[in-house]
Amino acid sequence: MPNCKQCNQGFEISNEENALREKLTGDFETGLVPQPTQCLVCRMRRKMAWRNEMTLYKRDCDKTGKSIISIYPSNTDFPVYSKNEWWGNDWDAMSYGREFDFSRPFFEQFVELFNKVPKLPLISVNTENSDYCNFIWDSRNSYLSYCIYKSESLIHCYWLYHSRDCIDCSYCFRSERCYECTDCNDSQNSKFCILSHNCSDSLFLYDCRGCSNCFGCVGLRNKKYYMFNQKLPKDEYEKRLKGFDLQKQEHIDAVKTKLNALRLKLPHRYSIQDKTENCTGDYIFESKDCHNCYQLYNGRDCINVEDSDCEDCQDSYHIGWASFIYDSYSVCNNKSSAFSIQCDGGSDLFYSYCCYNLSHGFGCDGIRQNEYCILNKKYSKEQYQELLPKIVEHMRGTGEWGEFFPAHLSPFAYNESVIPSFYPLEKDEVLRRKWRWKDDLPFTKGKESISHTELSENISDIPLSVTNEIFACDECGKNYKIIDQELRYYKNENLPLPKNCPHCRNANRLKFRNPRRLFSRKCDKCGESIRSSYSLERPEIVYCESCYLKEVY
Ligand SMILES: [Zn+2]
Ligand SMILES: [Zn+2]
Ligand SMILES: [Zn+2]
């Protein structure tokens, strides 16, 4: 068993992992990629170090001086251009090209190039009126939302696809008019629901399907007018519903406590999967033969892949519509690539960053539409094929070949990146690893202009001018504001103003998702061995797939 070069712990490489690596990388033009030298979690953290989703800065565009919103703060070593300037035609990434220097390590040369090439301020493609959003595609009129696709009118949302008019929701697809919902697909006009699909006009549901007009229910299928899993006549349901004054936060909390007690009495599925065959992991949909994967859609033959929609991929994160991708982060519409970041289109990329429609690229940054490039310098196909094996050989000597970009070279500090959301580390450990920790993150504390105790508990009495006030989060103390559309929603729906900041609200919703890790345990009903994201210490009753289906449907 090898020891992880990062954390020193022994880790296993399974036969399946070896076989898939050989299958994926055997035909790469660089030749086969060697076995990993870091454990799985260290490998995933190393990639996540390069993703900053929610830490946004105001800074100037280095081309026009115009103020822009960016994932990079002011005074970066590299220039940052506004989106329009970056996509404009009066600069050329190829002009930064350089010869590969065989007397020096590769990463050192890549960093020199990286620090010269202009960067995109955020990932925002075909969007309208959504300036404070990042990782957003084909969407409009949204605010402080991240990982958004084909959606509109979202506020404080995370991972919403094909959705509209939602506030404070996470991981929802094709949903409308929802509030504080997590993992709810095809749902409308619902609030405080978790893992519930095809539901409407409901509140506080957990693991329900096809329900409408339900309140405080767990594990129901196609029910109407149920309250705390009890069937009521329509008028009685409506009468009792009126009795819940959700304007008071303590009433919301009391319902959540009651729902949680009910939840712990009922069986949980060992893993969240839908339409899958032979898969292990959690949150896997329409996939086959995928192992240790999390948040995976349409996967085939994947191992150790997270937040992706892809086939034949390994050790990767945020891969979309791509195949034969190895140890990469955010590579889309691409095939046969490894150790690359944020590349869209093209194929056969290695150690490349933010390239669009580049094929056959090695160590490139910011290139659009080209082929056969090394360190942003163009070669003929023959020259490229001659040089590539020499570079790989050189990198074997320096110990760099087969290693993803080191985390300490990322432009983001640990606490700007997404690592803390998935695989957190203590500050001491971050510093011990020589990764950066940032003390001046772009938020304020102590600048609040009002306290919640100064405001009426009646949402209808709260003046519209409250959108000019600055609040302090009850949990983390960070300042935050309430925007106009939010306030109007709370007033219409008789809901209280949130007392914690949008980041804490999102983090609290995500607490209902298990950690991205599997534990060996037995089904609490039939005793069959299962690999579940519920550890043995967890209070939930955990059933295997067939026992769960027998009980719940
Ligand atoms: Zn490790
Ligand atoms: Zn907070
Ligand atoms: Zn069972």
Side-chain angles (χ1 to χ4, degrees):
M1 194 159 72
N3 271 12
C4 170
K5 269 169 72 180
Q6 175 65 258
C7 71
N8 274 325
Q9 292 191 34
F11 69 102
E12 273 179 50
I13 302 169
S14 68
N15 293 339
E16 291 75 18
E17 287 176 295
N18 270 328
L20 185 60
R21 180 178 49 81
E22 283 166 18
K23 174 185 144 187
L24 300 188
T25 74
D27 291 332
F28 279 2
E29 54 191 8
T30 54
L32 190 68
V33 163
Q35 281 195 336
T37 62
Q38 292 192 4
C39 74
L40 183 59
V41 171
C42 287
R43 265 142 50 206
M44 204 45 96
R45 282 199 189 106
R46 182 165 61 174
K47 286 183 280 288
M48 288 185 169
W50 291 77
R51 184 173 176 94
N52 169 8
E53 284 177 342
M54 300 191 190
T55 316
L56 304 185
Y57 298 88
K58 257 205 176 96
R59 60 164 291 154
D60 293 342
C61 162
D62 286 314
K63 195 154 172 68
T64 61
K66 227 175 57 185
S67 179
I68 53 172
I69 307 296
S70 173
I71 47 176
Y72 307 106
S74 304
N75 59 52
T76 42
D77 292 332
F78 44 83
V80 177
Y81 286 2
S82 75
K83 185 168 95 175
N84 288 344
E85 294 298 334
W86 196 90
W87 284 104
N89 285 323
D90 55 350
W91 73 279
D92 183 4
M94 299 302 289
S95 68
Y96 302 94
R98 57 206 56 211
E99 294 267 344
F100 194 93
D101 181 348
F102 286 93
S103 69
R104 297 165 60 206
F106 162 72
F107 289 135
E108 195 180 295
Q109 300 179 58
F110 180 80
V111 167
E112 285 174 7
L113 171 71
F114 186 87
N115 284 340
K116 290 279 184 286
V117 178
K119 302 288 176 279
L120 268 170
L122 355 111
I123 304 302
S124 167
V125 182
N126 186 25
T127 57
E128 214 181 289
N129 187 30
S130 304
D131 285 350
Y132 291 85
C133 298
N134 188 26
F135 292 107
I136 176 169
W137 292 264
D138 304 326
S139 299
R140 56 204 189 109
N141 301 333
S142 294
Y143 178 72
L144 287 180
S145 293
Y146 314 91
C147 308
I148 303 302
Y149 181 63
K150 294 202 172 178
S151 295
E152 67 177 276
S153 305
L154 306 179
I155 302 172
H156 305 312
C157 288
Y158 183 65
W159 263 88
L160 261 64
Y161 284 26
H162 302 280
S163 294
R164 57 189 298 162
D165 301 309
C166 293
I167 301 183
D168 276 294
C169 290
S170 307
Y171 292 106
C172 296
F173 291 63
R174 300 170 303 277
S175 289
E176 287 180 26
R177 290 172 291 122
C178 289
Y179 174 66
E180 277 288 345
C181 288
T182 309
D183 291 297
C184 293
N185 300 341
D186 306 290
S187 293
Q188 299 89 35
N189 192 34
S190 292
K191 302 178 186 80
F192 308 105
C193 294
I194 298 168
L195 263 180
S196 295
H197 309 316
N198 289 300
C199 293
S200 60
D201 307 301
S202 294
L203 299 104
F204 304 100
L205 302 185
Y206 185 89
D207 190 22
C208 292
R209 304 281 180 281
C211 294
S212 65
N213 299 92
C214 288
F215 184 101
C217 295
V218 180
L220 296 188
R221 300 294 180 262
N222 306 311
K223 297 288 191 278
K224 250 182 161 173
Y225 303 111
Y226 270 65
M227 197 168 267
F228 297 110
N229 282 29
Q230 188 198 348
K231 169 99 182 127
L232 295 174
K234 180 172 183 279
D235 49 350
E236 178 64 18
Y237 175 88
E238 282 167 355
K239 196 177 120 201
R240 288 199 200 176
L241 188 63
K242 281 204 182 91
F244 287 101
D245 176 11
L246 297 179
Q247 282 187 76
K248 291 205 169 67
Q249 185 62 43
E250 60 261 38
H251 292 181
I252 293 177
D253 295 341
V255 176
K256 284 184 179 173
T257 304
K258 197 166 169 185
L259 180 74
N260 203 40
L262 183 59
R263 188 178 74 84
L264 292 179
K265 282 189 207 148
L266 295 166
H268 289 62
R269 194 188 213 121
Y270 75 111
S271 155
I272 308 295
Q273 298 192 25
D274 192 28
K275 301 195 180 94
T276 60
E277 210 183 309
N278 185 32
C279 293
T280 58
D282 215 4
Y283 297 92
I284 309 179
F285 310 94
E286 301 188 30
S287 299
K288 192 168 175 278
D289 303 316
C290 293
H291 295 286
N292 195 45
C293 291
Y294 302 87
Q295 199 69 33
L296 180 71
Y297 303 86
N298 305 304
R300 294 285 177 286
D301 300 302
C302 291
I303 300 182
N304 310 333
V305 171
E306 302 189 10
D307 302 290
S308 296
D309 183 323
C310 59
E311 297 186 5
D312 295 296
C313 291
Q314 189 168 8
D315 279 17
S316 288
Y317 175 59
H318 275 278
I319 304 301
W321 312 288
S323 57
F324 291 82
I325 306 295
Y326 184 81
D327 204 3
S328 289
Y329 146 57
S330 193
V331 169
C332 297
N333 303 299
N334 183 290
K335 67 190 278 273
S336 305
S337 295
F339 318 118
S340 289
I341 297 176
Q342 206 73 61
C343 292
D344 199 341
S347 69
D348 307 275
L349 302 180
F350 302 88
Y351 296 102
S352 290
Y353 188 88
C354 200
C355 291
Y356 289 83
N357 298 318
L358 172 64
S359 291
H360 309 282
F362 197 104
C364 290
D365 182 8
I367 295 181
R368 288 174 278 162
Q369 196 73 47
N370 216 324
E371 52 181 11
Y372 302 109
C373 300
I374 297 169
L375 292 173
N376 286 27
K377 186 174 177 337
K378 170 109 178 133
Y379 293 88
S380 71
K381 184 179 174 184
E382 295 69 29
Q383 289 168 325
Y384 184 87
Q385 287 172 342
E386 202 190 313
L387 207 45
L388 200 59
K390 290 182 187 160
I391 292 175
V392 170
E393 213 33 56
H394 172 73
M395 285 175 68
R396 276 187 214 281
T398 59
E400 296 167 302
W401 174 240
E403 302 292 343
F404 190 79
F405 292 104
H408 72 268
L409 296 182
S410 164
F412 309 116
Y414 161 87
N415 51 340
E416 291 173 298
S417 82
V418 295
I419 304 171
S421 304
F422 300 99
Y423 299 102
L425 292 168
E426 296 296 331
K427 185 175 178 179
D428 296 359
E429 180 57 24
V430 172
L431 300 178
R432 200 190 62 74
R433 292 178 178 212
K434 301 205 164 46
W435 298 357
R436 281 186 306 125
W437 180 282
K438 203 161 191 245
D439 288 315
D440 56 337
L441 289 175
F443 60 78
T444 62
K445 281 186 180 178
K447 298 259 192 275
E448 49 275 19
S449 61
I450 197 165
S451 130
H452 281 283
T453 53
E454 294 168 53
L455 290 166
S456 165
E457 285 211 320
N458 237 328
I459 186 77
S460 53
D461 296 338
I462 291 180
L464 293 174
S465 61
V466 84
T467 56
N468 299 322
E469 305 285 359
I470 298 167
F471 294 91
C473 172
D474 266 2
E475 282 179 67
C476 71
K478 288 178 197 166
N479 291 124
Y480 68 100
K481 293 189 79 167
I482 306 282
I483 65 165
D484 198 46
Q485 297 96 302
E486 253 187 300
L487 180 64
R488 273 186 278 138
Y489 179 81
Y490 301 139
K491 280 178 173 284
N492 283 339
E493 302 289 326
N494 274 316
L495 290 164
L497 296 181
K499 294 190 173 65
N500 46 11
C501 74
H503 282 234
C504 287
R505 270 129 68 188
N506 188 52
N508 289 340
R509 286 192 296 277
L510 300 193
K511 280 180 191 157
F512 275 93
R513 299 184 127 222
N514 290 348
R516 292 182 167 184
R517 200 180 149 191
L518 294 177
F519 302 88
S520 292
R521 58 178 292 161
K522 302 235 183 307
C523 166
D524 286 326
K525 179 102 180 174
C526 73
E528 198 204 321
S529 292
I530 45 177
R531 296 278 291 156
S532 170
S533 58
Y534 291 97
S535 67
L536 279 167
E537 302 79 56
R538 294 280 296 248
E540 288 88 352
I541 301 164
V542 179
Y543 279 13
C544 73
E545 183 74 4
S546 64
C547 291
Y548 171 86
L549 290 178
K550 266 181 244 156
E551 181 98 4
V552 174
Y553 282 90

